[in-house]
Amino acid sequence: MKQHNRKLILEDGNVYTGIGFGAEEDRVCELVFNTSMVGYQEIVSDPSYTDQAVVMTYPLIGNYGMTDDDYECKNPSLGAMIVHDYNDFPSNFRYTKTLSEVLEENHIPGITDVDTRQLTRWIRDKGSQRALLTDISTTVEEGLEIIKNTPVPHDQVSRVSCKKRWYSRTADHKYNVVAIDCGVKLNIIRCLNQFGCNVVIVPYDTPAEEIEFMKPDGIFLSNGPGDPTDVVPVIETVKKLKGKYPIFGICLGHQIISLAYGAKTYKLKFGHRGGNHPVMNHTTGKIEITSQNHSYAVDEATLAGTGLVVTHTNLLDNTVEGMSCPTERIFSVQYHPESAPGPQDSKYLFQQFINYIKEAEEDAKKN
C-alpha cells in the first residue's frame, strides 16, 4: 500500500493526509463538497468549479475513466479533487484517458485515501472555507501562513469566459440566440441546439450595443464561477437589454438577473452541489429533482418591488431557485436543467424560452 505523501490543511487548522494523484502542485482553494454519485468528468470540466477543491461524497472515483465526448469545457479549471478511493484502472469501452492523466495535463492536483465522510460533515457543520493541498512535509503553521497570504480571487469569470465569439449551429434552425459566456457548460449549448437554436457564444464583457447589432431572437445568461457581484459588465448589459429580448438565465445567470433588477445575493454556508435537490415549481405544484452547483443565492427579501416573482423554491433550505418577470419575458433558475448526467425533470425550461421567443416574434408582427 502506498504511503501518504500529500496533505490537506484547512483554514481552521484541521489536517487530512492522503495519497496524491493528478498534478503534484500546491494549491489554495475554497473547499466544497458534491453529493453526485456519477459525473466526475462533468464536475472536473465544469467552469463553475474554478478555484474550488471538490470533495466527492461518493467513495469510488475514476472507475470509468474520461471520455472525449463528455467534457463540459475544453480547458478544465477545477482547483483540486479530494476523494476517498481513486481507481486508476478504468473499465469502460469509451474511455480514452484516466482521471489522473487529465488532472495532470490541466495542472489540477488530487488527493485520495481521505476520510471524505468526516470532511464533508465538517464542511456542512462549519461552512465552506479555504484549504491548502500540499506536500506531506509542509507544517500546519507554514500551510496556514500560505493560505493567509493567498488573496481571494475575484477574476474567475474573466479567466473562463471565451476570448472571442464562437458559433454552434444546428440543421434547420428556427431561432438565433446570443449566449453570454460566464463559464458556460457545453451541454447547455447542445440543449439550445436541440430546441432549434443557432447559438453565438460571446465573451462576458461584450457590450449590449454589440449584442443588439447581432439582432438575436433571445439572450441566454450562462452559469459560471465566483461571486455574482464581481461580474459588473454582465449586470450592466442585462440592465440595458431587459425588456427588449426574451432572456433566460441559469445559475450565475440567475443571480446576475436579480442584481440587474436591484435585488441582492448572499453566500450560502456550504452551497448546493449535487444531483438530488428537491425544488418546488410554484406554477405547476410539482416537485422537481434537480442538479445544482453554486455558492450564492438570491435574497428573497430584496425582490420586493423589482418586478421579479419567485417561481421555484428549494425544499431543503427554502432558498430561491427560480424567478421570472413575464411582462419582460425574462426568467431564470438557480439549478441546472441541462445536467449531464443528472435529472431531466426541468428540460421544459428550454421550451419556455422558445415560447417567449415565439411570443416576442408575434408581438413584433402586430406592431
Side-chain angles (χ1 to χ4, degrees), residues 30 38-39 101 109 112 132 159 267 269 311 315 324 345 367:
E30 180 188 16
V38 293
E101 288 170 344
T112 183
L132 169 68
R159 282 189 276 135
K267 190 168 186 178
K269 183 178 180 181
T311 58
L315 296 182
S324 74
D345 298 27
N367 297 328

Side-chain angles (χ1 to χ4, degrees), residues 238 242 247 257 261 308 323-326 328-331 356:
V238 174
K242 65 185 180 74
I247 299 178
I257 287 172
Y261 272 80
L308 294 170
M323 311 174 303
S324 74
C325 180
E328 295 191 322
R329 297 190 180 94
I330 189 167
F331 72 109
Y356 272 163

Side-chain angles (χ1 to χ4, degrees), residues 314-334:
N314 191 304
L315 296 182
L316 297 180
D317 60 7
N318 293 316
T319 51
V320 177
E321 290 285 352
M323 311 174 303
S324 74
C325 180
T327 58
E328 295 191 322
R329 297 190 180 94
I330 189 167
F331 72 109
S332 62
V333 288
Q334 182 64 78

Side-chain angles (χ1 to χ4, degrees), residues 217-287:
D217 297 308
I219 295 169
F220 175 78
L221 304 176
S222 85
N223 62 293
D227 185 339
T229 60
D230 291 336
V231 199
V232 175
V234 188
I235 297 170
E236 294 303 317
T237 295
V238 174
K239 286 180 180 179
K240 294 177 181 179
L241 298 180
K242 65 185 180 74
K244 296 182 178 180
Y245 306 92
I247 299 178
F248 178 24
I250 288 177
C251 200
L252 182 64
H254 162 82
Q255 298 158 11
I256 287 171
I257 287 172
S258 73
L259 294 170
Y261 272 80
K264 295 182 179 179
T265 58
Y266 64 96
K267 190 168 186 178
L268 295 165
K269 183 178 180 181
F270 50 80
H272 297 163
R273 292 172 186 86
N276 47 13
H277 284 252
V279 167
M280 170 64 76
N281 182 328
H282 297 300
T283 303
T284 64
K286 294 182 178 180
I287 297 173

Side-chain angles (χ1 to χ4, degrees), residues 20 58 96 145 194 276 345:
Y58 189 75
T96 53
E145 191 66 21
Q194 289 168 10
N276 47 13
D345 298 27

Side-chain angles (χ1 to χ4, degrees), residues 145-165:
E145 191 66 21
I146 292 171
I147 295 172
K148 180 182 176 181
N149 293 326
T150 302
V152 177
H154 293 279
D155 62 342
Q156 291 102 323
V157 168
S158 66
R159 282 189 276 135
V160 299
S161 178
C162 59
K163 303 304 181 258
K164 62 179 181 179
R165 73 176 69 169

Side-chain angles (χ1 to χ4, degrees), residues 153-218:
H154 293 279
D155 62 342
Q156 291 102 323
V157 168
S158 66
R159 282 189 276 135
V160 299
S161 178
C162 59
K163 303 304 181 258
K164 62 179 181 179
R165 73 176 69 169
W166 60 280
Y167 300 84
S168 181
R169 300 183 177 93
T170 186
D172 301 319
H173 84 283
K174 297 178 181 178
Y175 310 104
N176 295 300
V177 170
V178 170
I180 300 177
D181 180 11
C182 297
V184 68
K185 294 168 65 177
L186 293 178
N187 203 50
I188 292 176
I189 306 302
R190 297 184 196 110
C191 286
L192 289 169
N193 289 155
Q194 289 168 10
F195 279 83
C197 299
N198 275 354
V199 186
V200 53
I201 300 89
V202 301
Y204 80 104
D205 56 355
T206 302
E209 296 75 18
E210 187 174 330
I211 292 174
E212 289 189 87
F213 184 76
M214 299 177 197
K215 300 187 183 303
D217 297 308

